[in-house]
Amino acid sequence: MKRFEKPEDLAINGAPPAFEKVLHVGRPNIADRAMFDNYVDRIWESGWLTNNGPMVQELEEKITEYLGVKHCVAMCNGTIALEIAIRALGLEGEVIVPSFTFIATAHALSWQGIQPVFADIDPVTHNLDPDSVRAAITTNTTGILGVHLWGRPSPIADLQAIADEYGLKLMFDAAHAFGCTYKGVSIGNFGECEVLSFHATKFFNTFEGGAVVTNDDSLAEQMRLMRNFGFSGLDNVIYHGTNGKMTEVSAAMGLSNLLVIDAVLKKNKENYLAYKAHLENIEGIKLIQYSGTEHFNYQYIVVDVGVDSPLTRDKIISMLNAENVLARKYFWPGCHNMAPYRDLQPHASLRLPVTNSVAERIIILPTGVNIGDDEISVISALIRFICDDSVTLENIIR
Ligand code: T4K
């Protein structure tokens, strides 16, 4: 393990980087190759590659069991799953969403001519602030699309109460929340439906993939039609639709990854606890908490760089990058500050002070099955070293 003792020890000052190979956020958690190969052999034997094949059906069944939810409609990715769910719910006009999320949440609405209206977030949970949601409601509002950011549940009961009061549809982008709970009940059981992402970078992946999970029979049926061009039977199209189908090879990846999901969860939790121990008592550095009685998947290691930090978030990230730690600043600068939305809603920032502040402060650190204790202790030592104001900053940043 590299020790950092003086400013010259840092790569930014010309020393070799702490890690020879780049450590990425989002390295996939993948099963043993042999497990996947077994499933791929079955695909070769069956000659069935896509279009609601046996493996997609098996994966859907296993996910409904895992989440304790009635229906899982597997899709080719989380974004299409969001689009199909939004359309199946008949959302139109304006839908209230957080701006502090991956851009796909907003795009899934605007792509179909619906205006995402950004509401602010809670400074601690980073999830929608119900008061801000209430303030954003207009006569054009048809729904609320909450996001369970970092796998921590949205304030579901409060949002449901607002939806009921105003006659709005409530759905969730649960892309981060596979295997997480709200009041002890698995995410997937709330709102009209919830949307999962199985992208390579997620806790559970199918290369690319996603699903809508719901307890509503007719909604599930409608989305099954929509993901397959509206076909009911061989030549009978009874509904508008698109191509949202998951392939068999993606489902094979999902089935093999489900076999190791407990081990991935265990590793993610160990990593989180290791970071928590190592990053204690560093001025200006706070790890967001996964605490209480809920289940989490610990897929995101989220550091909040406070105003008391001697260095800015961006300075810390560029120093980590120089050491081959590719930390990320998800979800800076917030959807409302990205070109398509900034131009359409130039004054949105005025309503989003917490989003603006949080988006400037967050660092995501590498985790998952590819990161070991040694790496975590070096990354943490590095952060401690560069944030220690007894080290002369002028010497660090030439
Ligand atoms: N809603 C929310 C809240 C989401 O976070 C997302 C996706 C969605 C909806 C949409 O779901 P999908 O349609 O994607 O299913 C990544 C992912 O591409 C994106 O899926 C994810 N959120 C987002 C949080 O992260 P980028 O732009 O950071 O990806 P990229 O290509 O920079 O990859 C991140 C890192 O992961 C790389 O530095 C290296 C590593 N990586 C990535 C891939 C793809 C690997 O090591 N292997 C890989 O195969 O968006």
Side-chain angles (χ1 to χ4, degrees), residues 53-85:
M55 283 205 196
V56 164
Q57 292 178 34
E58 191 179 330
L59 180 67
E60 288 181 338
E61 207 180 301
K62 293 237 159 83
I63 288 175
T64 57
E65 273 166 28
Y66 189 79
L67 300 180
V69 64
K70 218 165 161 193
H71 301 282
C72 169
V73 186
M75 308 261 185
C76 55
N77 61 58
T79 306
I80 293 285
L82 276 169
E83 288 174 13
I84 287 180

Side-chain angles (χ1 to χ4, degrees), residues 104-139:
T105 320
H107 277 355
L109 292 163
S110 66
W111 194 248
Q112 17 200 4
I114 300 166
Q115 189 183 340
V117 174
F118 299 115
D120 214 356
I121 52 166
D122 178 275
V124 176
T125 67
H126 300 173
N127 281 317
L128 273 176
D129 168 4
D131 290 338
S132 180
V133 169
R134 206 174 265 281
I137 294 172
T138 72
T139 51

Side-chain angles (χ1 to χ4, degrees), residues 36 59 204-207 249-259:
F36 176 62
L59 180 67
F204 165 76
N205 87 83
T206 60
F207 296 114
V249 77
S250 281
M253 184 66 154
L255 287 166
S256 33
N257 282 336
L258 272 184
L259 296 173

Side-chain angles (χ1 to χ4, degrees), residues 269-289:
K269 186 169 184 184
E270 283 167 7
N271 286 354
Y272 166 72
L273 293 174
Y275 271 119
K276 195 169 175 218
H278 285 300
L279 292 175
E280 230 154 49
N281 299 324
I282 304 180
E283 203 182 350
I285 295 293
K286 240 190 246 142
L287 196 63
I288 66 147
Q289 300 293 305

Side-chain angles (χ1 to χ4, degrees), residues 237-304:
V237 173
I238 60 166
Y239 217 82
H240 285 284
T242 184
N243 183 352
K245 289 169 279 132
M246 177 182 273
T247 65
E248 288 291 276
V249 77
S250 281
M253 184 66 154
L255 287 166
S256 33
N257 282 336
L258 272 184
L259 296 173
V260 296
I261 201 156
D262 291 344
V264 173
L265 177 62
K266 184 166 173 284
K267 181 77 172 105
N268 268 6
K269 186 169 184 184
E270 283 167 7
N271 286 354
Y272 166 72
L273 293 174
Y275 271 119
K276 195 169 175 218
H278 285 300
L279 292 175
E280 230 154 49
N281 299 324
I282 304 180
E283 203 182 350
I285 295 293
K286 240 190 246 142
L287 196 63
I288 66 147
Q289 300 293 305
Y290 294 110
S291 53
T293 52
E294 302 296 358
H295 289 275
F296 303 101
N297 60 32
Y298 304 92
Q299 180 67 4
Y300 292 93
I301 301 293
V302 186
V303 169
D304 186 338

Side-chain angles (χ1 to χ4, degrees), residues 140-167:
N140 294 325
T141 309
T142 59
I144 302 168
L145 170 43
V147 180
H148 306 305
L149 207 76
W150 320 133
R152 300 192 299 181
S154 301
I156 295 176
D158 292 347
L159 295 177
Q160 189 63 63
I162 296 173
D164 292 345
E165 184 181 338
Y166 289 88

Side-chain angles (χ1 to χ4, degrees), residues 228-379:
N228 187 29
F229 315 102
F231 270 108
S232 167
L234 283 187
D235 305 306
N236 192 21
V237 173
I238 60 166
Y239 217 82
H240 285 284
T242 184
N243 183 352
K245 289 169 279 132
M246 177 182 273
T247 65
E248 288 291 276
V249 77
S250 281
M253 184 66 154
L255 287 166
S256 33
N257 282 336
L258 272 184
L259 296 173
V260 296
I261 201 156
D262 291 344
V264 173
L265 177 62
K266 184 166 173 284
K267 181 77 172 105
N268 268 6
K269 186 169 184 184
E270 283 167 7
N271 286 354
Y272 166 72
L273 293 174
Y275 271 119
K276 195 169 175 218
H278 285 300
L279 292 175
E280 230 154 49
N281 299 324
I282 304 180
E283 203 182 350
I285 295 293
K286 240 190 246 142
L287 196 63
I288 66 147
Q289 300 293 305
Y290 294 110
S291 53
T293 52
E294 302 296 358
H295 289 275
F296 303 101
N297 60 32
Y298 304 92
Q299 180 67 4
Y300 292 93
I301 301 293
V302 186
V303 169
D304 186 338
V305 181
V307 281
D308 47 339
S309 165
L311 293 180
T312 63
R313 183 272 306 268
D314 287 3
K315 200 61 92 183
I316 296 171
I317 287 203
S318 65
M319 293 172 81
L320 288 172
N321 288 175
E323 303 288 350
N324 276 344
V325 180
L326 197 56
R328 299 291 297 263
K329 40 185 173 181
Y330 293 148
F331 288 105
W332 181 84
C335 299
H336 70 291
N337 283 320
M338 303 269 195
Y341 304 103
R342 191 181 57 222
D343 297 346
L344 279 175
Q345 303 179 35
H347 305 300
S349 249
L350 298 174
R351 298 196 314 270
L352 304 170
V354 181
T355 300
N356 285 333
S357 161
V358 171
E360 292 293 331
R361 302 199 317 253
I362 295 303
I363 299 177
I364 309 294
L365 296 174
T367 187
V369 299
N370 304 291
I371 297 286
D373 286 352
D374 288 353
E375 280 133 337
I376 292 174
S377 67
V378 172
I379 294 168

